[in-house]
Each structure stands twice: as structure tokens, then as C-alpha cells.
Amino acid sequence: MSAPLPREPSATPGADDPRPPALSPEVSATPTVLAAVAGILAAATTLGVAQLMSALVSPDASPLVAVGGAFIDATPPWLKDFAVATFGTADKLVLLIGMGLVITALAALAGVLGRRRWWLGAALVVLLAGVGAAAAALRPGAGTLAPLPSIAGAAAGLYALRALLARIPEPAPSSRSTAASDSSAASDTSAASTTTPGGFDRRSFLTAAVVTTAIAALAAVGGQLLSQATRTVQAARAAIRLPGAARPAAALAPGVEVDVVGVTSFVTPNDDFYRIDTALLVPQVDVESWSLRVHGLVEEEVVLSFQDLLDAELVESWVTLTCVSNEVGGTLAGNAKWLGLPVREVLARARPTADADMVLSTSSDGFTASTPLGALTDDRDSLLAIGMNGEPLPIEHGFPVRMMVPGLYGYVSATKWVVDLEVTRFADRRAYWTDRGWSAEGPIKTASRIEVPRPGASVSAGRVAVGGTAWAQHRGITRVEVRVDDGDWAPATLATEASVDTWRQWSYAWDATAGDHTLTVRATDGTDEVQTSQTAAPAPDGASGWHSVDVSVS
Ligand SMILES: Nc1nc2c(c(=O)[nH]1)N[C@H]1C(S)=C(S)[C@@H](COP(=O)(O)O)O[C@H]1N2
Ligand SMILES: [Mo]
């Protein structure tokens, strides 16, 4: 009988089951070595995937870079002095090699442990990834996504480890050879076919090892190339000195913000500005080779370099950008001070022909927007923007140059990483989102939202501060009204208007009485048109309807 086989049937290794056979003394060295190799390959996968992810998130979020950085910061001076004295400028290389050796040893251990007790190996991988994630999260200036590369890497590494361990052949049943001749063993074909040493399993392990290595290497190289591009563009951006504006924006009056705690700030900091685009990877545009070509229905083609923009008479203006996908009461809107060259000046040089009615702007990654020619040639500040709130455009907001057109939703106007303006006609060309069912033209609809109190808030009866923001870009906001339940509309107090192109805050002092109440807001724009109560979904040309919040008063 094979009764002495010291394991449960459930412990029989299957294709997916890396669980070990018995912890018996006859386990030969080979599977252990293979398990160590599996651990090392899994670690390589972890680091490769982490490298790729960190290229997307931030180069400093790479677990290797973060742990190395934390190590350097934590090194006592005497050790640092010793390292520099001993290894000179190679001290960082030595550190990396040291880290490599430690990781290799721990990875091999994770493989060997994981083969015996899967959770032990897995726990070691998770622990190491946890160290990487923590180091990345604690680095100075780390973003919220900093732990992501370590986590994604660990997931990939665990998967690789499991797949590899499952393909390690069982040890030769040397002292258990009777089991092979036992009649019961013959019926256990699945176990036999996955436990035959040599032959099939070794090839299977080899194939898995090659695939794993290839994935790890591809991810690492891809990540390296990507983060190099990111660093290059980051360095180029950091080197830019924005010129002063020939026509600066008017200083903001303090009154542009109402005195209600919790209302969205008038200026949206760049880091908080919503981001919407179709780019899976943020385009990395080289400033040196960047150019903007203006062509199509024009008398004269114009090509601009980035230096041309820096040398031009630039204009600064406050403009609130809004996404067509913003729901009633939503937050896909932001307000910034933009610095750029008016598009009308570029178009004046190109001289559009009389039959043109649209400009199709194209980004470096092929996104297109159709903007009415009139919105780019009239006296509003439609800009080829290079600055945002006093800085060069952040890379994810279109560095080095984007369009900014007051009054139009972003999808028909605000092309980031813009490289091409084709003067054309709506009848002839369709933009990216028009091809996907959205309207060819997208003027921003008048909107207002209640930001304080929050939906579902509980407040005390008496004076309650209500406040929020309204916008109707390029028409301006002239009135905001608030209604409690089905009562009469009451005028809110408007903050100082910065410009018709920006949003405008409002406040309302509410004498709240006990009970559940619904507050509703509506705005009126500069053309005297009252915001419509007609509800509409964002598609195809922007949401509409009044914003309400329910509040309970006690
Ligand atoms: N190149 C490019 N530009 C683009 C987009 C895009 O997908 N690709 N999206 C547009 C949309 S829909 C909006 S709302 C704004 C958002 O700009 P932001 O990400 O700077 O807020 O960019 C516009 N410009
Ligand atoms: Mo958008």
C-alpha cells in the first residue's frame, strides 16, 4: 500500500497548485534549486512590472529607487563616509549591487519556502513589496499613487511564482519506488503526469521560466525608456522661464471668494485641476522639436516653434474650463490663470479663406477638437497657452502648449499637446468625440451648484451659510437664486466677478427651520437667460437641470 505517503490527496500538485509534496528527506536538490530560480524570476517580474508602473506613476515610486533612497537617507554619516572613502563615486552602484544581492537571496528563499508552504513564500513576497510600497509612499513629495508600482509588481510576481512552482517536477521517488509499481498509482494518472521528473515538467518549467524572464525584461526595459522620456520632458519643463505677459491678468479682487467655509477655491491649484483625456500614457512632447503647423483653408501656412511663443507678446487671462461630461452639481471644472498667445493673432497671419468656419486642432497623440472659427478670431482670449497659474503647463495638462477657449467645453476646444491647427469647415471634418456621438459644437451651458452645506448634511436651525459656484463662461453670471423646498426663489449674494470667462461664487444666508429640506439653485447668465430646469444627461452636448441638496435641520 502507498499509505505511508505523508500527505493528503488534496495536497497533490495540480497544474495550478504549487503546494509542495511531503517535507520528506528524500527531496532531491533539483526541485529546491528550481524553486529558488522560480523565486528569483518572480522577483524579476515584480521589479520589472514595478519599473513599468513607476514610469507611469512617477519615477520616484519605483520600489528599488524608493528603498535605495530611504536607505541613503537613513545611512549614518560614518557609514556614508566609509562608503564614499571605500567605493568613491561607485558608492551608489555598490548600494544597488548590495540591494540586488539581498533581493536575490530573499527571492530564492521565497521560492523555496513557497514550494513547501505556498503562503510562506507568498507572505515573503508581500512583505518585500510592502517595504517597497511603504518606502515609496514615504518619499518626500510622494503622490497618493506611489505604492501602486510595488503593489502591481507584487501581484505580477505572485502570479509568476505560483505558475513557476506549479511546474516544478516532484522529486524522484527513489525510496518510494514501490509506489510507482503499486496498482493504485496507475489510476492516479493526473498525479503521475505532473510529477514525472525530467521529461514534460522540466520543459514546462523551462517554458514558463523563459516567458517570465521575457515579460520581466520587457516590462523593465519599457519602464526604463518611458521614465527616461518623462525625465527628459520634466527637465525641459523645469528649465523654462516663462516670460512676463505683455497684457497681464488683472489682480484678483479679494471679493471673488465668498465668506463661506467649504466653497471651492476660486483658483484651482494645478495639482487639483481635474484631468480628462484619452491618453493612456501622458504624451511626452519634446520642446525642442515641438512645432505648431497652421494650414488648410488659409492664404498662408504658418509654423510656430516654442521659442516663437516665448518671444511673442503674451496675454494672461483667467478662464474656467469645464468638461462636457460634468453632471449637474459635478466637479469636472477648474479655474486657472492661463498665459499664452491669442489664437486670433496666429490666424491673422495665416488669413483663413472666406469659406472656412472651423479649426480642427490635433494633439501629438491624435486627439482632435473642432472649434468654431469665430470663437478663435473674435475678441475673447482664446489662447495657445504655455502657462498655467504661473508655471509652465503641467505635462498632464498639455505641456508644452494647449488650447484654451473661453465659453466652450474642453472636448471641442482645449486640445492639450497641440501640434496642428487645420482651418477647415464643419461640413468637411469631424473631431474625435463627434465621431463618437457627441455634438460637433459645445458651448458651455449655464450651471450652478450648491457646495455648502453638503448633500445629506445635518445643520442646526437658525442662520445657515449656503454657498457655491456658478458659471456661464463668456456670457458671465448676473444672478443666482436659491429656493428652499417649493418656496419662492430668493436672490443669493454674488461674489465679485473676475471676468465673464470665469466662474462666480455666491452665498445665501438661510434661516433654517427644523425638518428635512431641499435647497435648489439656479443662475442667470449675462444674456439674461435663466438656467434651464430641463434635465439633460451629459451626452451629447452637456448636462442641464437645477442642482439640489437635501439637508436635515434640527
Ligand atoms: N490631447 C487631448 N486634449 C484634450 C483631451 C484629450 O483627450 N486629448 N480632452 C479634452 C477634454 S474632454 C477636456 S474636458 C479637457 C480637460 O483638460 P484638463 O485635463 O487639463 O483638465 O481637455 C481637452 N483636451
Ligand atoms: Mo471633457
Side-chain angles (χ1 to χ4, degrees), residues 65-415:
V65 172
V67 171
F71 186 85
I72 290 172
D73 293 349
T75 307
W78 62 265
L79 184 54
K80 211 167 270 178
D81 293 346
F82 168 81
V84 174
T86 315
F87 306 115
T89 50
D91 59 341
K92 297 221 169 53
L93 183 64
V94 172
L95 171 65
L96 282 176
I97 292 174
M99 281 171 58
L101 290 178
V102 171
I103 290 170
T104 307
L106 289 172
L109 180 65
V112 173
L113 286 176
R115 182 166 170 274
R116 298 179 177 213
R117 295 267 182 280
W118 165 246
W119 69 266
L120 264 181
L124 185 52
V125 173
V126 170
L127 185 77
L128 290 175
V131 170
L138 295 175
R139 295 306 293 156
T144 42
L145 292 181
L148 193 67
S150 301
I151 295 169
L158 283 175
Y159 186 85
L161 185 61
R162 212 174 157 83
L164 287 166
L165 289 179
R167 286 170 176 78
I168 293 179
E170 290 302 295
S174 50
S175 65
R176 279 192 261 141
S177 53
T178 49
S181 60
D182 193 286
S183 59
S184 72
S187 64
D188 194 8
T189 46
S190 69
S193 71
T194 55
T195 57
T196 309
F200 172 78
D201 295 293
R202 202 174 288 275
R203 260 204 312 279
S204 165
F205 179 85
L206 214 76
T207 311
V210 168
V211 169
T212 310
T213 310
I215 290 173
L218 273 178
V221 169
Q224 200 52 35
L225 292 176
L226 254 169
S227 54
Q228 246 156 42
T230 310
R231 275 179 220 277
T232 307
V233 174
Q234 270 170 357
R237 179 175 178 273
I240 290 173
R241 288 275 150 273
L242 286 181
R247 172 157 60 81
L252 289 177
V256 298
E257 297 206 321
V258 295
D259 198 11
V260 177
V261 177
V263 168
T264 313
S265 63
F266 179 80
V267 180
T268 312
N270 291 357
D271 285 345
D272 298 343
F273 208 97
Y274 79 94
R275 176 186 162 204
I276 297 278
D277 54 61
T278 59
L280 186 58
L281 302 179
V282 178
Q284 304 294 322
V285 179
D286 177 29
V287 188
E288 289 300 313
S289 61
W290 179 88
S291 70
L292 179 77
R293 178 169 169 243
V294 187
H295 62 107
L297 302 176
V298 294
E299 305 284 353
E300 193 179 329
E301 253 190 58
V302 173
V303 177
L304 291 177
S305 70
F306 191 70
Q307 191 60 46
D308 292 335
L309 290 181
L310 291 177
D311 295 342
E313 304 232 308
L314 302 182
V315 163
E316 217 177 39
S317 65
W318 294 97
V319 178
T320 300
L321 178 64
T322 307
C323 181
V324 69
S325 298
N326 191 52
E327 303 275 358
V328 170
T331 56
L332 294 179
N335 183 46
K337 184 170 69 178
W338 307 95
L339 172 74
L341 178 64
V343 185
R344 66 173 171 274
E345 288 176 20
V346 180
L347 289 174
R349 280 165 56 186
R351 281 174 285 131
T353 57
D355 51 339
D357 65 4
M358 186 262 269
V359 171
L360 189 79
S361 51
T362 305
S363 69
S364 66
D365 65 336
F367 167 88
T368 52
S370 54
T371 310
L373 184 59
L376 300 176
T377 50
D378 66 18
D379 62 359
R380 81 185 82 185
D381 289 328
S382 293
L383 301 179
L384 286 166
I386 61 171
M388 181 178 184
N389 288 329
E391 287 175 25
L393 283 181
I395 298 174
E396 62 273 25
H397 291 294
F399 181 83
V401 183
R402 77 175 303 170
M403 296 248 293
M404 187 51 55
V405 180
L408 306 184
Y409 286 120
Y411 84 106
V412 290
S413 68
T415 304

